[in-house]
Amino acid sequence: MQQERTPLLAGTPRRNSEQSARAAEEEDAAIHGHPVPTAPSSRVREVALFTWALLATAAVIVLAVILQHRNATVPVPPPTETSVKPPSGKRNLIFMVSDGMGPASLSLTRSFRQVIEERDMSDTLVLDQHFWGTSRTRSSSSFVTDSAAGATAFSCGKKTYNTAISMLPDFEPCGTVLEAAKRAGYMTGLVVTTDITDATPACFASHVFYRSQMDEIAMQEIGEGVLGHTVDLILGGGRCHFLPNTTAGSCRADDVDVTAIAQKKHGYTYAHDRAGFDALRLGKNISLPLLGLFASSDVPFEIDRRNMADIYPSLNEMALTALTALEEATKDSEKGFFLMIEGSRIDHAGHINDPAAQVREVLEYDKTFKSVVDFLDKSETEGVLVATSDHETGGLALALQTPGELPVYNWHPSVLVNANASSEYLAHLLVEHMATNADEDEEDLRKWINEDLVVGRLGIHDALEVEINALASNPAAAMQAFAGMVSLRARIGWSTHGHSAVDVNVYSSGGPAAEKIHGNVENTDIGKFLREYLEVDVDEITKELREKMKGMSPAAPYKATEETNPHPLEWLQS
Ligand SMILES: *[C@@H]1O[C@H](CO)[C@@H](O)[C@H](O)[C@H]1NC(C)=O
Ligand SMILES: *[C@@H]1O[C@H](CO)[C@@H](O)[C@H](O)[C@H]1NC(C)=O
Ligand SMILES: *[C@@H]1O[C@H](CO)[C@@H](O)[C@H](O)[C@H]1NC(C)=O
Ligand SMILES: [Zn+2]
């Protein structure tokens, strides 16, 4: 019997309710920079210079954003008010979110697939064939949004401050398309590969001031919010937020058993492992409402999950399950369903700056997108698929010039083809190995790291001594170090471990209804499209929420993280 492997990073700090405030503020950027070695050697100097160049690029970008902030006086014209003509009668809406996927991620994945599957250089992804436009992503508090403000733009159709979960800058709740859809008689579903309490899914079915309030988000998602039951189908990770603190595997601060409340009070069926998922028979054997939590927190990156398929379902499997179940559940109804599917961890790979993990996340997302398109083609019910990202993550660039060299007009997908594990998983293996071999000789450790992890899993045969030493001496920074080794050799650049402000792509199955979001639109226009397509009254939900949640005030006033950071040029002077 295989022991459950979540949480993957047993040796690294994981989110729990207390830590999560800070973790959320930094959006999984408990991810620190690549360590700068200090021992004197020319190779060390090379790495130090390279790091300097990366930092310099980052500083210039940060500065550019600040300058743009100061000069941003040109008003944005309001979106044109042409009326959407949705199809009459029953309809289904599938909204897909590729968290943290920017335009460069598409080029990365397209080229990678051409190499790994020996396809023609004209070969494109399914997403490419459904390109619809681009979306501007800034939030009300920053040019660089977080996932909470990004998802509120979709769920409520309104701009808000970073960290807000369907709450507006006046700290009042806003009704969501999912809540309005449920009220109007649609069936509803959320499918993700991260914690179901994470910002994107949370924004569709809960209202809290800060995304870190995950204990509360879990309660609202299963029907304990002021609106009661709103989500019929939940598939994803984040089980730890639903278990009482008296149970192993809980990350709640209290002793509330959310799974028990979901089942006893709100009638949910609860599935919590692969056997439970298999019993759903890809949606043909489901009784709704269903709460399916198949990982303690995140589902592993697809690059690793494919070797643990006996434990975790894939995004595509969960999406197919949801489509089949919701279609069946609405077959005798006048209304269809609203389903949100998120490729949640494209963003995490971006935060870690791990291109080998990201490319497999995007491929799985593309596969899932195709499943939805195929579903719509076959379905007798009218339907639309709209897919977009909340923001870009990492400032991914598909070229890299290292100090002292001329620009090289190439990058190398083959490096990513050779890498068969995420840097997150390799860091986990390293920490685990060091814990179980505490008395191992340093030389043996370095040998094991190089042979088993670097050569064996990453397919890197030219590791520098300084790189192996950094891994052996600082396992806490190993995740970024492994990712850096892959990126450098593939000539892939990153400008940040956080998000960036670049416009993201919009994809759609198309049709006249989606015309309104053709071209370059505001992220809030996508949110408005969702409610208009379903013809549901979100304002009525907003009114009800404001009455019922009256008197709930924020725990602390919002403060932008930007202000707490040193001036971007400070490092230059030190
Ligand atoms: C568990 O939750 C209860 C409140 O529900 C609290 O009193 C107790 O301190 C918590 N225990 C731990 C170990 O956090
Ligand atoms: C269908 O689901 C039920 C639980 O809801 C389970 O007991 C049964 O074994 C499942 N059937 C199949 C064929 O998997
Ligand atoms: C990873 O898998 C590919 C095939 O998918 C293979 O060519 C490559 O050698 C593998 N790399 C390692 C390090 O095992
Ligand atoms: Zn995001």
Side-chain angles (χ1 to χ4, degrees):
M1 183 69 201
Q2 204 149 15
Q3 198 195 333
E4 171 151 22
R5 272 170 267 188
T6 48
L8 258 180
L9 301 181
T12 16
R14 282 298 306 167
R15 280 164 288 175
N16 64 28
S17 294
E18 269 167 44
Q19 290 169 336
S20 58
R22 185 189 57 84
E25 188 80 2
E26 296 169 11
E27 180 141 11
D28 278 13
I31 288 161
H32 307 295
H34 199 78
V36 183
T38 48
S41 95
S42 67
R43 270 175 179 170
V44 168
R45 220 177 126 256
E46 216 173 87
V47 173
L49 272 175
F50 171 66
T51 309
W52 181 89
L54 278 187
L55 286 172
T57 313
V60 167
I61 288 165
V62 171
L63 191 62
V65 170
I66 288 173
L67 288 178
Q68 188 196 357
H69 201 338
R70 289 205 185 117
N71 297 336
T73 48
V74 185
V76 181
T80 46
E81 287 297 324
T82 54
S83 69
V84 175
K85 288 203 183 60
S88 53
K90 187 172 173 179
R91 70 203 62 154
N92 297 325
L93 174 59
I94 298 109
F95 180 52
M96 290 184 70
V97 179
S98 42
D99 199 312
M101 182 177 82
S105 302
L106 276 296
S107 314
L108 173 93
T109 308
R110 194 187 305 128
S111 301
F112 171 84
R113 195 172 72 159
Q114 286 171 10
V115 171
I116 201 168
E117 294 180 10
E118 295 177 357
R119 291 175 186 236
D120 191 79
M121 67 172 85
S122 63
D123 185 67
T124 56
L125 303 173
V126 180
L127 284 163
D128 292 322
Q129 294 148 31
H130 292 84
F131 179 78
W132 198 250
T134 55
S135 163
R136 309 187 290 270
T137 65
R138 70 155 300 173
S139 70
S140 73
S141 64
S142 176
F143 284 104
V144 178
T145 189
D146 78 332
S147 294
T152 301
F154 302 143
S155 63
C156 294
K158 296 219 159 47
K159 295 278 186 185
T160 192
Y161 60 95
N162 287 4
T163 78
I165 300 293
S166 289
M167 284 282 182
L168 297 182
D170 61 0
F171 294 110
E172 292 280 356
C174 51
T176 77
V177 57
L178 183 144
E179 291 160 346
K182 183 70 204 166
R183 181 65 55 86
Y186 288 88
M187 297 294 274
T188 59
L190 298 172
V191 173
V192 302
T193 51
T194 184
D195 300 22
I196 195 72
T197 52
D198 202 41
T200 309
C203 280
F204 287 89
S206 68
H207 305 270
V208 296
F209 302 109
Y210 303 103
R211 53 183 298 173
S212 53
Q213 294 169 268
M214 292 204 185
D215 289 356
E216 173 62 22
I217 291 168
M219 293 289 276
Q220 292 189 25
E221 284 178 338
I222 55 103
E224 289 290 285
V226 296
L227 299 177
H229 170 74
T230 58
V231 198
D232 297 309
L233 176 59
I234 291 174
L235 299 175
R239 190 171 55 233
C240 77
H241 302 285
F242 293 76
L243 302 176
N245 69 0
T246 47
T247 317
S250 166
C251 56
R252 288 188 71 82
D254 60 28
D255 57 6
V256 177
D257 185 347
V258 187
T259 62
I261 297 172
Q263 292 171 89
K264 288 183 193 130
K265 190 165 161 195
H266 300 284
Y268 278 87
T269 310
Y270 176 48
H272 56 89
D273 57 13
R274 181 77 216 204
F277 180 80
D278 290 342
L280 305 176
R281 299 182 57 238
L282 289 179
K284 294 191 204 94
N285 184 37
I286 281 193
S287 104
L288 297 180
L290 174 86
L291 174 65
L293 303 172
F294 306 109
S296 178
S297 59
D298 295 321
V299 174
F301 282 124
E302 182 59 25
I303 191 174
D304 308 316
R305 190 211 63 83
R306 58 191 183 172
N307 301 320
M308 313 175 198
D310 56 329
I311 308 176
Y312 306 101
S314 68
L315 178 65
N316 188 49
E317 287 173 307
M318 290 194 287
L320 287 171
T321 301
L323 291 167
T324 300
L326 291 172
E327 166 116 297
E328 172 66 19
T330 53
K331 73 173 193 293
D332 299 322
S333 168
E334 276 171 31
K335 301 283 183 184
F337 62 81
F338 170 72
L339 172 63
M340 194 284 295
I341 302 169
E342 185 191 36
S344 316
R345 304 203 69 207
I346 299 168
D347 172 69
H348 296 184
H351 278 293
I352 300 166
N353 293 1
D354 182 346
Q358 180 166 96
V359 76
R360 274 81 171 193
E361 290 301 297
V362 177
L363 273 182
E364 180 67 18
Y365 183 76
D366 192 62
K367 186 178 178 182
T368 307
F369 184 95
K370 182 177 187 303
S371 294
V372 177
V373 171
D374 290 347
F375 167 84
L376 287 172
D377 283 348
K378 275 190 240 123
S379 175
E380 280 166 20
T381 307
E382 184 78 48
V384 163
L385 162 63
V386 169
T388 191
S389 309
D390 47 355
H391 53 80
E392 196 269 356
T393 303
L396 172 63
L398 301 184
L400 181 68
Q401 183 177 9
T402 55
E405 66 170 17
L406 294 169
V408 175
Y409 282 62
N410 210 355
W411 75 277
H412 307 300
S414 60
V415 175
L416 310 189
V417 172
N418 289 337
N420 289 334
S422 72
S423 55
E424 179 185 75
Y425 186 60
L426 294 182
H428 158 72
L429 290 182
L430 176 60
V431 168
E432 196 179 60
H433 176 91
M434 288 177 79
T436 49
N437 300 275
D439 51 0
E440 186 178 34
D441 183 68
E442 262 209 37
E443 194 48 46
D444 289 343
L445 173 63
R446 285 197 289 265
K447 192 159 172 278
W448 179 81
I449 291 173
N450 189 47
E451 285 176 8
D452 280 52
L453 304 184
V454 175
V455 175
R457 306 288 185 121
L458 292 181
I460 291 177
H461 295 267
D462 60 352
L464 302 178
E465 211 178 304
V466 65
E467 290 175 316
I468 301 296
N469 287 347
L471 288 166
S473 62
N474 191 3
M479 191 156 64
Q480 288 71 37
F482 283 121
M485 290 173 75
V486 174
S487 295
L488 185 58
R489 284 161 180 82
R491 287 192 175 274
I492 285 172
W494 302 89
S495 65
T496 176
H497 280 285
H499 299 171
S500 81
V502 70
D503 288 359
V504 294
N505 291 347
V506 180
Y507 301 93
S508 179
S509 55
E515 273 310 314
K516 187 161 186 186
I517 49 169
H518 221 153
N520 179 250
V521 298
E522 203 63 56
N523 55 3
T524 46
D525 293 334
I526 311 248
K528 287 173 197 150
F529 166 80
L530 300 178
R531 67 171 69 158
E532 285 172 14
Y533 180 76
L534 293 176
E535 288 188 303
V536 294
D537 191 348
V538 172
D539 295 336
E540 189 187 309
I541 303 288
T542 300
K543 214 169 130 228
E544 185 177 333
L545 283 168
R546 288 182 177 212
E547 274 159 23
K548 292 184 173 168
M549 292 179 80
K550 205 164 243 150
M552 295 169 142
S553 60
Y558 172 72
K559 197 165 179 298
T561 46
E562 199 179 338
E563 296 157 23
T564 63
N565 281 332
H567 189 277
L569 293 185
E570 225 163 69
W571 66 272
L572 259 187
Q573 293 154 352
S574 61

